[in-house]
Structure formats: C-alpha cells, structure tokens
Amino acid sequence: MTSHDPDPPSPPADLKAGLGGTGHINIASPAQEPIQDYPIERVEQVYRKLDLRIIPAFWVLYFLNSAIRSNIGIAQTMNASVKHDLVSVLGLTPKDVSTALALFYVSYVLFDLPSNLIMSRLSPRVWMARIVIAVGIIGTCFTAVNDAWSLKLLRFLLGVVIAGMWPGMAYYLTLFYPPSRTGKRIGMYFTAAQVSAAVVGLVSAGFQQMDGLGGLVGFRWMFLIYGLLGVILGVGLLWWLPDRPLAPGEVREKSWWVKWLPPSPEALTGEDAMVHYHDLRRVYHARPWTLKDLWFVLLDWRLWPLVLMYFGVVGVGIGTQLYGSVIIASINSNFTGVQVSLLFAPIWIMDLIAILLVTPISDRFHKYRPLFFSAAVCVQIAGLLTVTFALDNQWGRYGGLLLIGFGLGPTVPICMAWTNEIFQKRHREVGVATASALVSGLGNLGSIVTTYALYTGWPEDAAPGRYRYRNSNFVMIGILCMSIASSFVMIALLKVFGNEPSNKIVGSDGNDSGEEILDGAARREVHQRGFSRLIK
C-alpha cells in the first residue's frame, strides 16, 4: 500500500457553482505538489451523516452492555433490609464478591486482543453483533445464579464474550473517521456507560419494588430484563451497522459464513461516498495484516505508557462503578437501599457532563490530549482526597465522589483516541486493532486490582470504623499518579523519538514500506482546528 493512489474525483458542477465556481481548497503536500481537497463544509456534512448512522447504535449497545456488566454492583445493596440482596441470597463472603468481580477482568484481558484481531479480519458488523448477542445471553443466565461458584463462572464467561467490544468500537471508528476526530465520537457513546451507571442505580429502585413478583427477588428481575434486551439489540445490529467502507466501483462480496445473514447496509452512497473516499483514502487501501506486522506492533515501546495511563483511570473508574454504592452506604449507615441507589446516579451524571464538555475540545486541540488527560486525573485525585479526609462532613465526602465522577469522564476516551492517532499513523490498521486491544485489555488489569484487592476484597480496610476504606482510596490515588507520570513520559519520548510511519511495514510486494497515505484528513491534521468554526 503506497501513497500513489488515483487522482481524487472532482466535485459535481452544482457543488462547484455553489462555491463560487472552485469547489476545492488547495493544500500543498509535503512534496509541495498542489492537491485539491473538498471544502471542509462538505466533508463535515459527510461525517455528520456517519454520526447519525453509527453513534446512536454504539450508544445503545454500550449502554446495555455496561448495564449487564455492572449491575452486579448495585445488586449487592438491593432489598438488603429484607435480606434479598445478592450477597444474602447467595450466601456470599466479601472474598466471593471480589473474586467474581475480578474474574470478569481476567477473561477480558485474556481475550481482548484475539477478539479485536478476529474483528479486523472478518466482518466488523457481524462481530460486533455477535458480542452483543452473547453478552445478552450470559446476562440472562445470571437470573439463575444460586451460589458462589455459578456467579464466578458466569462472570468469567461474561468477560470472555464481551472481550473486544470496547477496543473493537474504537477500531471500528477508525474505519470511518480520521483519528483526530475520534475522541469526540468515543466520548459521545462512552456517555452511555455513565448514563447506564446512573440508570442502573435509579431503575434498581423500581426493580426493588418488584421483589417477590413471580417468585423472583428484585435483582433477578434486573438480570433477566437487561439480558433479554441485549439479545434483541444484538440481532437488530445486523440490519443497522455498516461494514467497512468500499472504494467507489467496488462490489461487496459475502463470505460463505455470512451468506445467511442480512446484507450489510452501506454507510454512504453516491457523492457522499466519493467525498469520504478522498478524505480518508487510507482505510480503503488497507491490506490484510500478517504476523510480522503484529510482531512489530507488539515491540513498539509506545504501547506501554498508554497501557499504564489506562491502567490507572479504568481501575479507578471500575472501582467507583462497582463499589460506589458500598462507599455511599459507608458514609452514612442510616441510608436505605433506595437512598443509596438514588445517590449513586449523580456520580455518573457528573461523569457524563465532563465527557460532553472536554472531549470535543480535546479533538480540536488534539496535540494536547495528554494535558487534558492529566488535568482530569487531578480532579479525580482531589475527589479521592476529599472522600478520605472529610470524615466529619458526610455531604462533603459525597461531593468528593461527584468530583471523582467528573474527573473520570474524559480520561478513557482521550486515552483511546490518542492510541488511535499514534498507532494508525505508525502501523496503520493492524496498529489500531492491536494497540487499542492491548491498551484496553492490559489496562484493565487495573480493574482487577480495584475489584479484587481493594474495598470489600481487603478485609482489614473494609472493617467498620472511622477510617473504613482509607487505604483503598490511597491505592487508587497512587495508580492515578502513575497514569499522570506515564502521560508525561510519553510526551517526552515522542519528542525525542517521534512517531513517523514504521519502516517495518511490509508492502504487498514484500518490500518494507513506511510510506504514508496523504489523504485529505492527513493533510488537515497537520494543524489543529482550535476554536475556529466551533459550530461545526
């Protein structure tokens, strides 16, 4: 794959007329050859069409998958006053709970990379639908858990089937958007996790009122309904999500194993497809990756600072999501289960607000992503310090949880967007697929730390008293400091070593090829958009 692609198509006459007869913006390539690009207004129209097609579907699937993954946390406090909570019904010890929570991330880490690599080889649409359907089936099976071993087994299986969803979504976006535009989009559907966390808390109050209906306790109704909704959504995605885009004139051929599935809807047609082809030509000329390509990605030192950045923020995020209700209950032992559920929701509303405020700006100033990331992590640290030391002010401690939620919001989308930017330029498609999976998968080892070793998994720290969970909070502050340090190390190393396309990429002719496709988006990404044209 080289940068010597066919000349870009000219806009139609009516488009030229509407632009004063020119229809193009002239931008000089690195070789100082004038290259004609479509006007930015026209390009923005195409990306907005893609937004309407992709982002709502991703939002809904991420909402349900997040609910199915995390509802075990709120189930620990549902109907606790009558001993119909998850812990009482199943006779769980604190170690059983922390082990079950951690097993999910063990299998997630193991299967994240294989899942993403399979998705890059097969149909991204079908693989994403497969993930959602399988998550819905396993989620439904949680209705039947009766003891510790079945809970642990299902949590492990849930990690197996959901692995690859989050990095797969990030990889999928790079098939339709330039990396400098992915932070905002990742943030848009990442808000589903925050809304899900809030809704799971709020709706659990309703499920608690269903306690005993049909012979099922409240948390079993919650598991059943969320699981069935997941299966229905997964099937629907086969008719809605498009597969990777095709170059103009190409015909989509169906492999034998997907011929019985509905045909892929095309994301763009006609002139929209031509504009997208010119602006993001790199995705249309991707070649199948080889084990040699994968090996060079795995050896790239740029992976490891990103993994450590993700380790800290996702560990604190999952710890807050799964133990937030437990922390709230420890702030005031007189809170009822319903009150805890209602107080849990605003944490994720703050998270959502921060995502909507910060991630669009981080795209416009994409060269400063690590600074946005580090500032948000500092807000989390401030929140944890407040929760830890404001011992005589219960609402002050609760305010600290709101700060944690606000700081959490932008960090994961920014980290994934930065990963896309670095590895698509350096290793192309296999770089994005591999790096996003490894950053997500290995970074989720932080989730194992916070779910297995902290809070209820740390008996001495969980003992009732004035300083309950203090040491767990200190550990979370420590791993957040590591995330900040890793982001600055990454900045320094990129300054020294750069991030040019790897000269180890093997071309279709068998020769090494580090050439970069200079499509319209690549030429624009040399400069930041800043606050100009903010309405776009």
Side-chain angles (χ1 to χ4, degrees):
M1 180 169 67
T2 71
S3 59
H4 305 296
D5 297 308
D7 292 334
S10 297
D14 58 344
L15 179 59
K16 289 183 179 181
L19 295 165
T22 61
H24 294 89
I25 296 174
N26 291 326
I27 301 177
S29 71
Q32 301 302 316
E33 297 175 356
I35 299 177
Q36 294 180 318
D37 285 329
Y38 284 89
I40 188 63
E41 294 88 350
R42 186 70 183 90
V43 174
E44 293 282 1
Q45 289 176 1
V46 170
Y47 287 126
R48 283 196 293 271
K49 282 191 175 182
L50 288 172
D51 287 344
L52 293 174
R53 188 77 193 183
I54 296 171
I55 303 303
F58 270 24
W59 195 96
V60 176
L61 77 86
Y62 197 52
F63 175 93
L64 278 175
N65 281 345
S66 296
I68 293 169
R69 180 189 67 190
S70 64
N71 57 20
I72 186 177
I74 200 69
Q76 296 177 63
T77 58
M78 291 175 63
N79 300 112
S81 60
V82 292
K83 303 297 183 182
H84 284 180
D85 57 287
L86 180 73
V87 174
S88 300
V89 172
L90 272 62
L92 303 176
T93 66
K95 186 61 70 176
D96 287 331
V97 174
S98 59
T99 301
L101 295 177
L103 281 172
F104 169 89
Y105 295 102
V106 171
S107 56
Y108 185 93
V109 169
L110 291 174
F111 291 94
D112 219 19
L113 177 58
S115 176
N116 228 35
L117 292 177
I118 292 172
M119 180 177 177
S120 70
R121 284 284 189 150
L122 304 180
S123 162
R125 168 189 67 120
V126 174
W127 194 250
M128 191 62 68
R130 190 281 305 165
I131 290 174
V132 180
I133 293 170
V135 168
I137 292 172
I138 299 296
T140 304
C141 291
F142 273 88
T143 308
V145 292
N146 277 312
D147 41 38
W149 77 264
S150 59
L151 181 69
K152 294 173 185 177
L153 174 61
L154 285 175
R155 284 292 293 181
F156 183 85
L157 292 177
L158 185 62
V160 172
V161 298
I162 205 173
M165 182 198 68
W166 173 245
M169 294 166 78
Y171 161 74
Y172 184 97
L173 282 191
T174 62
L175 301 178
F176 296 93
Y177 301 92
S180 63
R181 290 175 180 264
T182 59
K184 172 184 174 182
R185 272 80 187 185
I186 292 173
M188 288 167 70
Y189 63 72
F190 189 56
T191 60
Q194 285 61 51
V195 175
S196 172
V199 168
V200 165
L202 292 172
V203 174
S204 71
F207 284 123
Q208 290 180 74
Q209 301 304 314
M210 297 172 64
D211 190 52
L213 182 65
L216 298 179
V217 296
F219 71 79
R220 295 191 190 278
W221 277 112
M222 180 175 66
F223 291 151
L224 176 64
I225 292 175
Y226 280 129
L228 292 176
L229 288 175
V231 174
I232 294 169
L233 172 66
V235 174
L237 290 176
L238 293 171
W239 277 268
W240 184 259
L241 279 182
D243 259 321
R244 63 170 65 245
L246 292 178
E250 287 189 14
V251 178
R252 193 176 300 280
E253 296 182 3
K254 296 183 69 172
S255 302
W256 63 267
W257 63 277
V258 295
K259 285 186 176 180
W260 56 277
L261 296 175
S264 170
E266 298 302 332
L268 298 167
T269 57
E271 184 192 321
D272 290 333
M274 297 291 283
V275 173
H276 188 260
Y277 172 79
H278 173 60
D279 198 63
L280 203 61
R281 201 175 309 176
R282 71 193 86 164
V283 304
Y284 291 89
H285 295 277
R287 61 173 181 79
W289 53 267
T290 66
L291 290 178
K292 187 176 182 181
D293 297 321
L294 178 60
W295 178 246
F296 287 131
V297 177
L298 295 175
L299 291 179
D300 197 323
W301 59 264
R302 293 161 184 81
L303 271 174
W304 307 111
L306 292 165
V307 168
L308 293 177
M309 287 169 60
Y310 198 88
F311 180 99
V313 296
V314 80
V316 173
I318 296 300
T320 305
Q321 188 175 47
L322 294 177
Y323 290 118
S325 60
V326 176
I327 296 171
I328 292 171
S330 74
I331 291 175
N332 187 334
S333 59
N334 294 321
F335 285 150
T336 66
V338 172
Q339 287 175 320
V340 169
S341 296
L342 295 176
L343 289 170
F344 185 65
I347 298 173
W348 307 107
I349 294 173
M350 294 295 292
D351 196 314
L352 183 151
I353 292 171
I355 291 173
L356 297 178
L357 288 176
V358 178
T359 54
I361 301 175
S362 72
D363 266 2
R364 291 183 171 277
F365 295 91
H366 59 90
K367 295 182 181 179
Y368 300 108
R369 289 199 197 276
L371 300 182
F372 287 102
F373 174 89
S374 297
V377 174
C378 286
V379 174
Q380 294 177 56
I381 292 174
L384 282 165
L385 289 172
T386 304
V387 172
T388 304
F389 291 107
L391 298 177
D392 298 318
N393 186 339
Q394 67 178 22
W395 294 112
R397 296 182 70 192
Y398 178 69
L401 287 174
L402 298 182
L403 277 179
I404 295 170
F406 189 87
L408 279 170
T411 52
V412 170
I414 289 174
C415 190
M416 294 304 290
W418 202 24
T419 301
N420 288 347
E421 284 182 338
I422 291 171
F423 280 87
Q424 189 184 75
K425 180 177 181 180
R426 185 155 177 81
H427 295 282
R428 302 179 190 164
E429 188 172 315
V430 67
V432 175
T434 305
S436 60
L438 286 173
V439 169
S440 170
L442 296 177
N444 262 292
L445 292 172
S447 303
I448 298 176
V449 170
T450 55
T451 56
Y452 186 74
L454 304 183
Y455 298 103
T456 59
W458 190 346
E460 295 83 2
D461 197 41
R466 182 173 174 81
Y467 301 111
R468 193 177 194 183
Y469 302 136
R470 170 171 283 195
N471 291 328
S472 294
N473 292 340
F474 285 155
V475 172
M476 296 232 279
I477 291 170
I479 63 176
L480 288 176
C481 289
M482 179 189 67
S483 290
I484 294 175
S486 299
S487 70
F488 281 97
V489 168
M490 186 69 157
I491 294 172
L493 291 176
L494 288 176
K495 286 285 187 183
V496 174
F497 297 104
N499 191 52
E500 297 306 311
S502 173
N503 59 9
K504 300 297 185 181
I505 297 175
V506 181
S508 58
D509 58 358
N511 297 318
D512 287 351
S513 173
E515 294 184 61
E516 182 180 9
I517 290 183
L518 295 176
D519 49 31
R523 290 188 287 275
R524 285 196 309 277
E525 285 175 341
V526 174
H527 307 286
Q528 297 184 130
R529 286 180 288 162
F531 288 120
S532 62
R533 312 185 67 83
L534 192 57
I535 61 171
K536 300 293 186 183

